[in-house]
Structures are given as structure tokens and as C-alpha cells.
Amino acid sequence: MQIYRQSSIQMNYKQQQGVTLVIGLALLLVLALISHSSAEIGLNNEKVAHNTKLILEAEQAALSANQQAFETTNYINEALRYIDEPQFDAWPEYDLDTRQTHQIATAKLSVSRVALKGYSLNSGQSVKQVLLEVDSTAEINNRVDRRVAQGWIRVGAN
């Protein structure tokens, strides 16, 4: 009896002819492709999140540079020295400390005389409003670059 069982088991192995192996390998291949695409999606999302973080850091550094430049009286006075020079384009530019080793921030101050809406000038009067602009840029890791321009108008300047 026992011999009969062994021979029938051997006969079943011969009849399968590797179909189970092929199906198993096909399922393994499908699982490998799914896991690979999941890993790719995860890596791409990580790169996008990192780049977004760098962009926000650069924008914050540029805004900080603007604020720092507007608070520094020497920078403003230096820019005001050139207000009456026509066609002047060599405005002073300053490197600012961002307290981060991987960030570089610079600010360029410029001034111009402007006339505000609703104000009229009599003959012989000069424009009494001064527009002070700071154009700052911040760069992170020599890759991400952001630029922020802000301005304030001071009324009553000659």
C-alpha cells in the first residue's frame, strides 16, 4: 500500500510541469513592480517637500533682509545721498547676516521722488514724497533663489 502512494505522488509531480512555478514568479514580479513604484512616489514626494522648504526659507531670508535694511539708518542715508542724481543706477547693495551658514542675503536700497495721488504741486515746489525701495534677494545652497521688493513712502522730504 505504501508503495502505491509514493508512486502516485511522483506521478502528480510529473504532471504539473512547472505551472505553479510560473504563476508564483508572475505574482512575485507584480509585487516587485508595485513596491518599486510606491518607493518612487515616496522619493518624489520627499524631493518636492524639501524643495518647498528651501523656497520658503529663501523667501523668509529675503523678507528678513528687507526688514534689516529698512531698520539700518546708515543704509537709508547712503541711498538718500543719490536722490537728486539723474539716471543713477549704481544703488548701494549690502550683504546681510542671516545667521544661517547656507543662506546668502543681499539688499539693494534705492530712493526716488514721487508724487502721491491727490497731492498737487504749485509752481516752484519740489516733490515732497520720497519712495524708499529695498530689493533683496536670498540664495540657499547656491540653488534656490528668491527676490522680494518692498517700498515705503516718506512724506515731507525735500
Side-chain angles (χ1 to χ4, degrees), residues 77-134:
N77 289 339
E78 180 70 19
L80 285 169
R81 284 185 41 217
Y82 304 106
I83 193 169
D84 290 323
E85 293 189 24
Q87 307 292 324
F88 187 75
D89 63 350
W91 295 105
E93 190 167 329
Y94 305 98
D95 292 328
L96 299 170
D97 180 27
T98 61
R99 300 186 193 123
Q100 300 288 333
T101 57
H102 63 285
Q103 293 178 354
I104 299 169
T106 59
K108 181 162 69 171
L109 281 76
S110 62
V111 293
S112 58
R113 293 182 186 272
V114 295
L116 295 175
K117 275 186 172 179
Y119 286 84
S120 61
L121 296 175
N122 296 328
S123 62
Q125 276 189 318
S126 64
V127 176
K128 295 198 182 303
Q129 293 87 29
V130 172
L131 172 64
L132 172 65
E133 285 185 310
V134 173

Side-chain angles (χ1 to χ4, degrees), residues 14 18 23 48 57 77 136 156:
K14 289 180 182 177
I23 291 173
V48 168
E57 266 187 50
N77 289 339
S136 66

Side-chain angles (χ1 to χ4, degrees), residues 9 16-17 35 44 46 52 67-68 77-80 89 96 110 118 122 135 138 142 147 154:
I9 291 172
Q16 288 182 3
Q17 297 176 352
S35 63
N44 284 338
E46 184 67 28
T52 303
Q67 191 63 37
Q68 199 175 349
N77 289 339
E78 180 70 19
L80 285 169
D89 63 350
L96 299 170
S110 62
N122 296 328
D135 186 3
N142 298 321
R147 177 177 172 264
R154 191 168 80 187

Side-chain angles (χ1 to χ4, degrees), residues 63-79:
L63 285 169
S64 177
N66 268 4
Q67 191 63 37
Q68 199 175 349
F70 276 119
E71 290 173 356
T72 307
T73 310
N74 294 342
Y75 297 170
I76 295 171
N77 289 339
E78 180 70 19

